[in-house]
């Protein structure tokens, strides 16, 4: 039962003076009414305790270093390119902080209170959330030198249909790629022998010479620097509206940004700039 219905049960029970009379009025059993109201009280108590804990931490930190726990969620693809290093340097900078970092490609509802902060690649118009940009994100087409030596390098986006492409599967992308070049837009089918919802798997295949991969620049930069990958079609632009053109830090709009949340967001921005990932 959702919170609204539980609140209605609570109000009716209070007005009638008993769970039994409320149950009779609503056509429910007294135990069902009591259970629903109890669950509501438990959830509310947890929220109050969490807000009290945060307030105590904020007061303690007015004259001291950051202290406490920060719960962070993000996609698997963020770990190796930047989040691992950013978290390590944040802990080094703030020795009294603790981080819980859970990486998953599954959808996480930030409104259920399990996390303080989420990192996402997307749009800033997210319902119920405040989104803070931490850096730009652009898509590049890349392949291994070995693959390009064997198959040649495409000179026009239309030629991509003649090559083996590694396809990242995501609901926002649909069945086609929208590519812009010189003011013209080309719509191409997203076909390939290997498709996955895991970007890391596709990146390993690209490094192994299995095809061409559209990928965030920050994800492939180390391999571009050491020559294991090369970019192609550099004058083409992947549709920025598909997954969004920004890395975002988001938190529920119902909660204020605590000092530790602000500190981590600022640290992540600095880290991305220092590593020249954005």
């Amino acid at each position: 039962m959702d919170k609204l219905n539980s609140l209605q049960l609570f109000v009716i029970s209070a007005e009638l003076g008993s769970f039994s009379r409320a149950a009779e009025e609503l056509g429910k059993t007294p135990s069902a009414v009591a259970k629903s109201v109890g669950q509501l009280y438990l959830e509310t108590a947890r929220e109050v305790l969490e807000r009290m804990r945060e307030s105590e931490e904020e007061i303690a930190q007015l004259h001291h270093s950051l202290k406490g726990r920060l719960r962070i969620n993000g996609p698997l693809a963020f770990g190796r390119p930047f989040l691992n290093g950013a978290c390590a340097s944040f802990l080094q900078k703030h020795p009294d902080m603790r981080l819980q970092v859970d990486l998953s490609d599954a959808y996480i509802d930030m409104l259920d209170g399990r996390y303080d902060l989420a990192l996402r690649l997307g749009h800033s118009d997210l319902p119920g959330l405040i989104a803070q940009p931490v850096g730009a994100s652009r898509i590049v087409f890349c392949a291994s030198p070995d693959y390009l030596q064997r198959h040649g390098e495409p000179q026009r986006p239309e030629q991509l249909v003649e090559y083996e492409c590694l396809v990242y599967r995501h609901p926002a992308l649909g069945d086609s790629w929208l590519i812009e070049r010189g003011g013209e837009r080309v719509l191409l089918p997203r076909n390939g022998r290997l498709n996955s919802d895991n970007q890391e798997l596709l990146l390993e295949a690209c490094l192994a010479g299995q095809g061409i991969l559209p990928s965030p620049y920050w994800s492939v930069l180390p391999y571009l620097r050491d020559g294991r990958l090369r970019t192609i079609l550099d004058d083409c632009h992947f549709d920025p509206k598909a997954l969004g053109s920004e890395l975002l830090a988001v938190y529920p709009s119902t909660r204020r940004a605590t000092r530790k949340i602000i500190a981590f967001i600022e640290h992540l921005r600095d880290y991305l700039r220092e590593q020249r990932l954005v």
Side-chain angles (χ1 to χ4, degrees):
M1 182 173 293
D2 61 33
K3 184 171 288 190
L4 178 60
N5 287 332
S6 296
L7 281 169
Q8 291 173 335
L9 286 177
F10 174 77
V11 170
I12 293 173
S13 299
E15 290 176 343
L16 297 178
S18 74
F19 291 147
S20 298
R21 293 178 63 187
E24 183 179 352
E25 178 78 14
L26 297 169
K28 298 180 180 293
T29 64
S31 61
V33 174
K35 181 179 180 181
S36 178
V37 172
Q39 184 66 31
L40 172 66
Y41 180 82
L42 175 62
E43 291 177 1
T44 303
R46 284 174 176 166
E47 292 174 1
V48 170
L49 287 173
E50 182 66 16
R51 299 296 85 75
M52 290 177 64
R53 182 185 65 80
E54 289 179 351
S55 297
E56 289 175 354
E57 286 183 359
E58 288 289 288
I59 293 172
Q61 291 167 15
L62 288 175
H63 303 290
H64 301 88
S65 61
L66 286 181
K67 187 176 183 179
R69 181 181 63 160
L70 186 62
R71 301 165 299 174
I72 301 171
N73 175 265
L76 287 167
F78 285 8
R80 175 194 49 78
F82 64 85
L83 190 54
N84 298 352
C87 289
S89 56
F90 182 81
L91 290 174
Q92 186 175 17
K93 184 177 180 180
H94 303 286
D96 292 326
M97 280 295 300
R98 293 177 291 123
L99 295 180
Q100 174 190 324
V101 183
D102 297 336
L103 300 183
S104 171
D105 288 332
Y107 173 76
I108 299 297
D109 183 3
M110 282 297 295
L111 301 181
D112 65 9
R114 285 182 292 163
Y115 296 99
D116 304 300
L117 185 69
L119 301 175
R120 292 180 176 172
L121 178 63
H123 307 278
S124 59
D125 55 343
L126 302 171
L129 299 175
I130 293 175
Q132 298 285 347
V134 295
S137 182
R138 62 186 177 92
I139 304 296
V140 295
F141 292 89
C142 56
S144 69
D146 173 64
Y147 180 84
L148 295 176
Q149 184 178 10
R150 287 185 284 118
H151 298 279
E153 182 174 336
Q155 302 301 311
R156 303 187 312 277
E158 296 90 338
Q159 293 178 313
L160 285 173
V161 296
E162 304 169 11
Y163 289 77
E164 191 65 52
C165 290
L166 303 166
V167 180
Y168 177 54
R169 193 171 67 251
H170 189 281
L173 293 177
D175 298 323
S176 303
W177 283 323
L178 182 59
I179 302 172
E180 299 178 356
R181 185 189 196 192
E184 296 184 358
R185 310 177 90 188
V186 179
L187 194 65
L188 300 175
R190 301 174 66 236
N191 293 321
R193 292 171 56 224
L194 178 61
N195 73 85
S196 175
D197 63 353
N198 188 301
Q199 184 74 7
E200 290 289 301
L201 184 150
L202 297 173
L203 178 56
E204 288 298 323
C206 187
L207 288 165
Q210 296 301 308
I212 295 173
L213 176 66
S215 180
Y217 177 70
W218 46 260
S219 180
V220 295
L221 183 56
Y223 308 109
L224 298 175
R225 287 173 174 168
D226 66 18
R228 295 174 64 187
L229 292 179
R230 282 176 44 198
T231 60
I232 60 172
L233 299 171
D234 291 334
D235 58 346
C236 294
H237 302 281
F238 198 87
D239 180 19
K241 297 179 182 178
L243 288 177
S245 57
E246 293 179 315
L247 289 165
L248 302 172
V250 302
Y251 52 91
S253 58
T254 54
R255 298 176 57 184
R256 61 190 177 89
T258 61
R259 186 173 168 226
K260 60 187 178 182
I261 289 177
I262 294 172
F264 187 84
I265 292 174
E266 292 177 349
H267 178 81
L268 183 55
R269 285 189 184 123
D270 292 341
Y271 183 87
L272 289 168
R273 284 194 297 266
E274 290 167 2
Q275 301 297 316
R276 293 182 295 166
L277 291 170
V278 295

